[in-house]
Amino acid sequence: MATAPARTRPGHLARREALIGYVFISPWLIGFLVFLAGPILASLGLSFTQYKPGQIPIWVGLANYVRMFGDELFYLSLSVTTKYTLISVPLGLAIALGLALLLNQKVPGQRFFRTVFYVPSLISGVAMAIVFAWIFNSRFGILNYLLSFLKLDGPNWLSDPDFTLSAFVLMSLWGVGSTVVIFIAALQGVPVALYEAASLDGAVGWRRFIHITLPMISPVVLFAAITGVIGTFQTFAVSYIMTSGGPANASLFYLLYLYKNAFNWFEMGYASALAWFLFLIILICTGLLLRTSDLWVHYEGLGKK
Amino acid sequence: MSIRTPNSHGSHGISRRTLLKLIGIGSAGAALAACGAAPAAPAASSGNAEPEPTAAPAAATGSIRVLVCCATPAEEPLRNKYNAAFEAANPGIKVIAEAPPAGMNYFEKLQTLLAANDMPDVFDMWEGYVQPYAANGALLAMDDLLKADSKIKADDILPAVVPAQSYQGKQYAFIYGFMPGPVSLFYNVDHFKEAGLEAPSPNWNWNNVREAALKLHKAAGGKVERYGVNFENWFVPWQYMMWSNGAEVFNADESKAAFNNPKATEALQFWYDMVNVDKIAPNQDDAKALGSMAKAFASGQISLRLGNYWDLGELKETKGANWKAVLAPKSNSGGRTWYMHLGCWSISAQSKMPQAAWDYARDFVLQRPIDSVTPYVPPLKSLMSTFKGPDHEQLGYTALPEIVSQPGTLRIPGAGAKFDKIQGLIQAELDLAFIGKKSVADALATAEPKVNEELARK
């Protein structure tokens, strides 16, 4: 009978190695504690206070959280962000998947096209926002110019509240390149044997996609959906630069509202509460996606769908 | 000192590792010390004791940090020259000036510095910001410094600027100059000649502007060749419009909104109709397409522009532009109340060099170092005669000293710290009126309860 190895205290060498390990990671560790964990905990504490920069925070308990539920702009910003998430994430995933399927075909110039589709996602949000402000210009923008060929009178994308969010959704598609790359990697991981077996059974085209490709890449789709939801709930730079939340608050994203409270209106305590509520929203959305993943994500080797 | 390698013999000598630790700790300490502030001079008394007059420059030595908002490139060498002259006149005081590019989120930066307890000693403030910063305890009350000063007297300050630099009866800012906003009606001389119109006069009212713009506007086949008039849709112009027409934004004690009334509606609707009904003024999208409105005006794409003093830089840069200006028009009921744009200094409540900071601000007021490029009206009666410039006659500015000395011609926004949020609530509704999706009456009626709710919130 095998005996369990005797538990021994780590030797001098092991302790020294551990110490050296900590020393090596200490720049990150210190940075994490000082610049991330510290502010995170501080913001949690501040969310229970009325805190104006330069003044001592005053404890108000749950007042900031209660205030949210009577705050019209809170609901408005949450509604804008939720609508944006519900439209742009599924649309972005669908388009990214479609492009990945096309770019996964063995065609001449495949690598070139993959690069071309990825390059836009390297452009900073600020630069993109400035360029898109021109693209969406109703008089001189290229988008309305192209629509004019279809005999369509393009709207005032960024001045008309009815179209502003659509403009932001369209703009979000510009950055699908990084998701496309992830999907291509996933598509290339689907065993060829499965397609061969499907062909023998007479499954081609759409049925192959629905019954083989999609289930096999579903864990990656889940990953892209979760990161997409987190990313869209954190939308800030584009609306800050392009519209500052306007017109008529049509692009007042949650994070922009939070920012205005913190930096424009001296409401650092309320802004901290908004930040923690956003964390809760993202946590719930991620939890829901993970919960429902049992229904639609296929994990090979786990004996379930 | 000998350096020994680590050993297992219980040696008490300094090991290499210990030495490295000591060096590390020492270096960190030195670095932190270097980052710290220079030895501070005793702060000026802010108590009730009668301060001694300070005829001579401050005896304290050290550095003062100066943060400037929105300095134009033309101002930069003048400000540098002033800083050098101040250092020369105040031996032992070093000026560390920082001027982030104009429009680079100045107040976000200031808020961050405030939160980090790292405020500059002297910094730019704006109208409407003095009060919230003072309420937050961020600003030093300057009353004692002013009282003790031999170069400047409180009764020399123009009554019009006192409310703008005060909070609860104390002075928290020192205005070095101000300008009405929107100060000018710029007009294209060639367009007026071509249309056979008489040039605008300082006595024009809004009807005169509209009538001229209708004649000056040129459009063919749905394409606009040039706009008759242009104005902007943000809180400075719309407050000028409301106030000039006899309306108020808030009630007397600023506890309720007062803008939902026929006078305010009439004023804004008049201007917005030029965009949506007459279609002689660019809408929001067209304005974005035109880029800088001042440049669009200077290049002949707009015939009349209700603009600000900061337009002058771009207008002067545009070669061949044949323009002139008169003071902004009066309302159709004959009133003209401007928004007061300020250039002013505040001193941090945390400043360890308050006297030097005060001296810096005071001398800036007295010497008017940027006057040649930024034509502010001076805040002191004794300086009013210095408000001169080669183009003041052409701009109609020569009438300003007398006009601004009359009570009620200049206003600052109300509601103190809440104004930024409140103007956003009003603006969100006016955006809809500006693009013709709502009437001004509906927009103001919708905004009113929101503003009241915000005013009532503690």
Side-chain angles (χ1 to χ4, degrees):
Chain A
M1 191 174 84
T3 54
R7 291 183 58 158
T8 54
R9 291 184 61 202
H12 172 72
L13 195 62
R15 287 205 304 274
R16 197 176 153 202
E17 274 184 357
L19 189 66
I20 290 170
Y22 281 119
V23 169
F24 272 110
I25 64 164
S26 62
W28 177 86
L29 204 59
I30 293 166
F32 171 75
L33 291 172
V34 174
F35 297 115
L36 206 61
I40 286 171
L41 287 176
S43 77
L44 180 61
L46 290 174
S47 73
F48 299 107
T49 67
Q50 186 190 66
Y51 172 48
K52 296 175 188 294
Q55 288 187 346
I56 295 167
I58 301 163
W59 179 263
V60 292
L62 291 171
N64 286 328
Y65 291 93
V66 174
R67 179 182 156 190
M68 274 181 220
F69 298 100
D71 180 354
E72 195 182 326
L73 289 178
F74 162 76
Y75 287 114
L76 185 74
S77 63
L78 193 58
S79 153
V80 167
T81 313
T82 307
K83 271 186 216 161
Y84 177 68
T85 301
L86 288 175
I87 301 169
S88 71
V89 172
L91 191 64
L93 288 176
I95 289 176
L97 186 55
L99 286 170
L101 287 167
L102 287 173
L103 294 170
N104 200 34
Q105 304 301 311
K106 289 187 174 58
V107 289
Q110 182 202 51
R111 288 184 181 187
F112 169 76
F113 286 116
R114 284 180 184 177
T115 309
V116 164
F117 279 98
Y118 182 66
V119 163
S121 58
L122 296 176
I123 295 170
S124 84
V126 175
M128 191 178 83
I130 292 167
V131 171
F132 267 90
W134 279 103
I135 289 173
F136 287 125
N137 188 280
S138 65
R139 274 187 69 202
F140 301 111
I142 194 166
L143 184 58
N144 280 4
Y145 176 69
L146 293 174
L147 288 175
S148 70
F149 288 116
L150 303 170
K151 306 284 179 209
L152 291 172
D153 196 10
N156 293 334
W157 292 98
L158 297 178
S159 307
D160 187 334
D162 294 340
F163 289 93
T164 309
L165 203 59
S166 312
F168 278 91
V169 170
L170 283 177
M171 191 170 59
S172 73
L173 302 177
W174 180 251
V176 295
S178 50
T179 314
V180 170
V181 169
I182 294 168
F183 281 155
I184 290 172
L187 288 170
Q188 290 182 346
V190 180
V192 179
L194 293 178
Y195 291 122
E196 289 170 352
S199 297
L200 289 174
D201 289 342
V204 288
W206 180 248
R207 289 172 69 88
R208 242 169 56 142
F209 174 72
I210 290 292
H211 295 292
I212 298 173
T213 310
L214 209 49
M216 292 304 287
I217 66 164
S218 57
V220 175
V221 175
L222 174 66
F223 165 78
I226 289 173
T227 52
V229 166
I230 293 171
T232 49
F233 267 108
Q234 294 177 340
T235 302
F236 173 72
V238 284
S239 68
Y240 179 69
I241 291 163
M242 290 171 71
T243 54
S244 292
N249 290 327
S251 62
L252 184 68
F253 284 89
Y254 191 92
L255 217 54
L256 182 62
Y257 181 55
L258 187 161
Y259 175 86
K260 285 186 174 190
N261 272 287
F263 291 99
N264 292 354
W265 302 334
F266 301 96
E267 302 267 17
M268 208 58 96
Y270 186 51
S272 299
L274 287 169
W276 278 92
F277 194 79
L278 177 64
F279 170 71
L280 193 68
I281 292 168
I282 291 175
L283 198 69
I284 290 169
C285 289
T286 309
L288 281 175
L289 277 169
L290 287 171
R291 272 269 178 206
T292 59
S293 70
D294 285 348
L295 301 171
W296 59 277
V297 177
H298 171 83
Y299 291 105
E300 242 184 321
L302 288 184
K304 60 181 182 179
K305 193 182 173 187
Chain B
M1 180 171 60
S2 65
I3 298 173
R4 296 183 190 176
T5 53
N7 59 57
S8 56
H9 305 296
S11 166
H12 295 289
I14 298 175
S15 69
R16 189 197 304 270
R17 183 174 296 175
T18 311
L19 180 72
L20 287 172
K21 267 188 205 166
L22 290 172
I23 292 172
I25 292 165
S27 307
L32 286 171
C35 291
S45 164
S46 56
N48 295 328
E50 195 70 23
E52 289 294 312
T54 52
T61 59
S63 56
I64 53 167
R65 283 167 57 212
V66 178
L67 184 66
V68 177
C69 165
C70 317
T72 62
E75 283 178 15
E76 199 183 329
L78 300 173
R79 285 178 182 270
N80 291 342
K81 194 174 158 190
Y82 170 76
N83 292 343
F86 182 80
E87 285 179 347
N90 296 272
I93 307 276
K94 184 167 172 50
V95 176
I96 302 168
E98 190 187 350
M104 293 304 285
N105 306 335
Y106 174 77
F107 280 96
E108 280 87 334
K109 185 179 175 74
L110 202 61
Q111 280 271 60
T112 312
L113 290 170
L114 177 61
N117 214 20
D118 189 30
M119 287 287 269
D121 296 276
V122 192
F123 47 93
D124 262 325
M125 266 283 140
W126 285 2
E127 62 280 354
Y129 282 78
V130 174
Q131 291 74 20
Y133 271 79
N136 273 2
L139 309 183
L140 182 78
M142 300 175 173
D143 303 76
D144 289 346
L145 292 159
L146 174 63
K147 205 185 284 179
D149 200 285
S150 61
K151 293 186 180 175
I152 214 157
K153 291 288 163 227
D155 59 6
D156 194 21
I157 298 172
L158 276 183
V161 308
V162 172
Q165 59 186 19
S166 307
Y167 174 69
Q168 293 187 339
K170 288 195 167 188
Q171 183 180 340
Y172 286 95
F174 203 164
I175 293 173
Y176 55 81
F178 64 92
M179 256 299 173
V183 65
S184 293
L185 180 68
F186 298 103
Y187 64 96
N188 186 305
V189 176
D190 296 335
H191 292 181
F192 270 77
K193 276 186 190 162
E194 178 196 306
L197 295 171
E198 267 189 42
S201 87
N203 292 320
W204 264 29
N205 63 19
W206 298 346
N207 270 333
N208 296 126
V209 173
R210 180 174 171 267
E211 283 160 16
L214 281 166
K215 290 173 185 159
L216 292 160
H217 185 78
K218 273 189 173 179
K223 298 254 177 193
V224 177
E225 199 177 305
R226 78 175 181 220
Y227 290 96
V229 65
N230 151 251
F231 62 96
E232 288 160 10
N233 178 39
W234 58 297
F235 63 83
V236 168
W238 57 248
Q239 285 187 112
Y240 148 80
M241 291 164 192
M242 285 186 191
W243 289 334
S244 297
N245 209 36
E248 290 291 338
V249 180
F250 302 108
N251 65 357
D253 64 0
E254 296 179 350
S255 61
K256 294 259 181 202
F259 51 76
N260 184 20
N261 66 57
K263 284 180 180 173
T265 305
E266 179 190 57
L268 297 188
Q269 197 67 62
F270 180 89
W271 284 90
Y272 290 7
D273 280 353
M274 285 197 264
V275 178
N276 299 309
V277 179
D278 300 330
K279 297 189 188 298
I280 52 174
N283 63 25
Q284 212 146 311
D285 235 31
D286 294 341
K288 275 182 194 160
L290 289 168
S292 155
M293 287 294 103
K295 280 200 170 158
F297 165 76
S299 63
Q301 295 176 80
I302 297 166
S303 296
L304 280 162
R305 167 165 168 74
L306 185 67
N308 290 291
Y309 67 95
W310 55 78
D311 290 343
L312 291 172
E314 285 185 318
L315 294 181
K316 287 175 183 173
E317 273 171 18
T318 310
K319 297 225 160 53
N322 189 11
W323 59 269
K324 282 187 178 173
V326 290
L327 293 180
K330 293 174 182 172
S331 72
N332 294 335
S333 56
R336 180 170 55 193
T337 303
W338 276 296
Y339 182 94
M340 186 187 213
H341 289 292
L342 303 178
C344 73
W345 294 119
S346 280
I347 299 174
S348 166
Q350 303 163 359
S351 175
K352 295 187 171 68
M353 303 278 286
Q355 184 63 53
W358 164 263
D359 291 346
Y360 181 93
R362 177 207 57 207
D363 288 355
F364 199 95
V365 172
L366 293 173
Q367 293 174 23
R368 305 179 52 71
I370 57 169
D371 190 39
S372 59
V373 294
T374 305
Y376 276 136
V377 182
L380 302 177
K381 294 171 201 163
S382 58
L383 290 177
M384 208 48 86
S385 60
T386 66
F387 183 60
K388 285 175 183 161
D391 50 6
H392 280 200
E393 188 75 44
Q394 184 198 358
L395 293 166
Y397 286 180
T398 41
L400 277 178
E402 197 197 324
I403 292 175
V404 299
S405 65
Q406 293 161 11
T409 52
L410 283 169
R411 303 273 294 271
I412 56 163
K418 289 185 173 177
F419 181 73
D420 194 70
K421 187 170 186 182
I422 285 174
Q423 69 82 17
L425 294 170
I426 302 170
Q427 189 68 57
E429 292 302 321
L430 290 182
D431 281 348
L432 296 172
F434 189 73
I435 61 172
K437 288 225 162 197
K438 237 180 190 183
S439 69
V440 171
D442 286 347
L444 296 180
T446 314
E448 186 189 28
K450 295 177 185 179
V451 171
N452 283 339
E453 191 185 335
E454 184 58 28
L455 285 169
R457 195 173 58 75
K458 299 219 166 154

